[in-house]
Amino acid sequence: MAAIAQFFDMGGYARFVWPAWGLAVIVLGGLLIDSVVTYRKRRRELDAAEERKR
Amino acid sequence: MFRFANPNRFMNWSGKLLPWCAAATAILLIVGTYLALFVAPPDYQQGEAVRIMYVHVPAAWMASFVYGVMAASSAVALIWRHPVADIAAQQSAPLGAGFTLLCLVSGSLWGEPMWGTWWVWDARLTSVLVLFFLYLGYIALVNAFDEPTRGARAGAILALVGVVNLPIIKFSVDWWNTLHQPASVFRIGAPTIAASMLWPLLIMAVGFTLFYVTLLLVRMRSALMAAKLRALRLQEFQAA
């Protein structure tokens, strides 16, 4: 337990280290979700349009 | 080279490449995070705060690198009128803006405990802030025209003019007084950073680069599908 607490304390720099890593997760995760959601939407729309054409 | 840039060929090879890029990205980011948080030693001066470096430095490198890709694609788009080059530039912009934002905020979070301030208006920090606004300005400009090709042209010109900022960012720490440290990896002579920190940093940097490549391919595929969709709808409209 103490080792885990010590890890999260980051030598007293927890309030700087974790927001930096947290923002990395938010920014990269946000870009990933946006890219994948848009991709799936375009795929569906294009498949539907090609279906209508046939 | 243009053989691979034909839209249909691009869809073909990018579809095959994507799963490999995505897998490599996931592995590198997981290994890099593990090494950065658990294996790399604390700094003898900065203690554990040095772990901010493993997101800040790769984000900073990507901020400039993505802009370079955007400018090169814009040049190809302007000179050869290649539509896939325009799409590469336009889809790079939000990714580059994200990396730049991450660089600025993580740098600020590192500056407060180490320099005693969140922000200084010195050349390095200011030129990176300008880079962030260049990305935002590019995105706004591209979308400001009713005619997409005109927006693409205007954006491409802005991207090329903004290239002047890249050497300013790189050499700002040598040319002017600053709180920011000078280059310790990409410098003449050997890196001045210890190997135990350099390896996790390089793995994170390659992971960030592959993350960019993977998302760029996904986004370019989306944009090409959107273009195809517009063409199909136009056909439907004309047939009706």
Side-chain angles (χ1 to χ4, degrees), chain B residues 113-173:
Chain B
M114 291 303 126
W115 300 340
T117 180
W118 300 101
W119 185 262
V120 279
W121 289 103
D122 73 3
R124 171 55 74 85
L125 280 68
T126 308
S127 56
V128 174
L129 185 65
V130 168
L131 180 68
F132 183 59
F133 289 138
L134 274 172
Y135 278 122
L136 297 188
Y138 173 87
I139 295 168
L141 188 60
V142 165
N143 294 306
F145 294 83
D146 293 330
E147 174 74 48
T149 50
R150 290 186 65 191
R153 247 180 106 69
I157 291 165
L158 174 67
L160 284 176
V161 173
V163 166
V164 70
N165 197 30
L166 290 186
I168 294 178
I169 292 173
K170 167 70 185 159
F171 296 111
S172 57
V173 286

Side-chain angles (χ1 to χ4, degrees), chain A residues 6-21:
Chain A
Q6 195 194 2
F7 171 74
F8 281 107
D9 183 55
M10 277 289 151
Y13 293 115
R15 70 197 178 95
F16 302 108
V17 173
W18 295 121
W21 278 81

Side-chain angles (χ1 to χ4, degrees), chain B residues 1-201:
Chain B
M1 190 190 134
F2 285 164
R3 229 156 43 86
F4 297 101
N6 164 291
N8 288 325
R9 286 223 180 79
F10 175 85
M11 287 303 274
N12 210 326
W13 69 255
S14 65
K16 286 180 191 138
L17 193 63
L18 249 182
W20 298 98
C21 277
T25 304
I27 292 167
L28 281 165
L29 287 183
I30 289 167
V31 171
T33 300
Y34 171 73
L35 292 176
L37 288 180
F38 298 97
V39 179
D43 186 71
Y44 82 106
Q45 283 181 325
Q46 305 191 17
E48 305 286 346
V50 76
R51 299 194 197 282
I52 295 172
M53 173 180 74
Y54 302 105
V55 292
H56 174 73
V57 172
W61 286 344
M62 292 314 293
S64 285
F65 175 71
V66 173
Y67 196 90
V69 172
M70 207 172 95
S73 307
S74 296
V76 171
L78 280 178
I79 296 166
W80 288 287
R81 300 282 164 95
H82 203 292
V84 177
D86 261 329
I87 288 174
Q90 286 168 21
Q91 297 306 319
S92 287
L95 302 171
F99 287 124
T100 312
L101 178 71
L102 181 58
C103 168
L104 286 166
V105 178
S106 63
S108 192
L109 285 160
W110 202 5
E112 170 63 17
M114 291 303 126
W115 300 340
T117 180
W118 300 101
W119 185 262
V120 279
W121 289 103
D122 73 3
R124 171 55 74 85
L125 280 68
T126 308
S127 56
V128 174
L129 185 65
V130 168
L131 180 68
F132 183 59
F133 289 138
L134 274 172
Y135 278 122
L136 297 188
Y138 173 87
I139 295 168
L141 188 60
V142 165
N143 294 306
F145 294 83
D146 293 330
E147 174 74 48
T149 50
R150 290 186 65 191
R153 247 180 106 69
I157 291 165
L158 174 67
L160 284 176
V161 173
V163 166
V164 70
N165 197 30
L166 290 186
I168 294 178
I169 292 173
K170 167 70 185 159
F171 296 111
S172 57
V173 286
D174 304 323
W175 291 343
W176 294 289
N177 286 322
T178 174
L179 285 178
H180 199 284
Q181 66 150 56
S184 51
V185 179
F186 295 123
R187 59 190 290 279
I188 298 166
T192 53
I193 173 175
S196 56
M197 293 180 181
L198 182 60
W199 276 110
L201 180 61

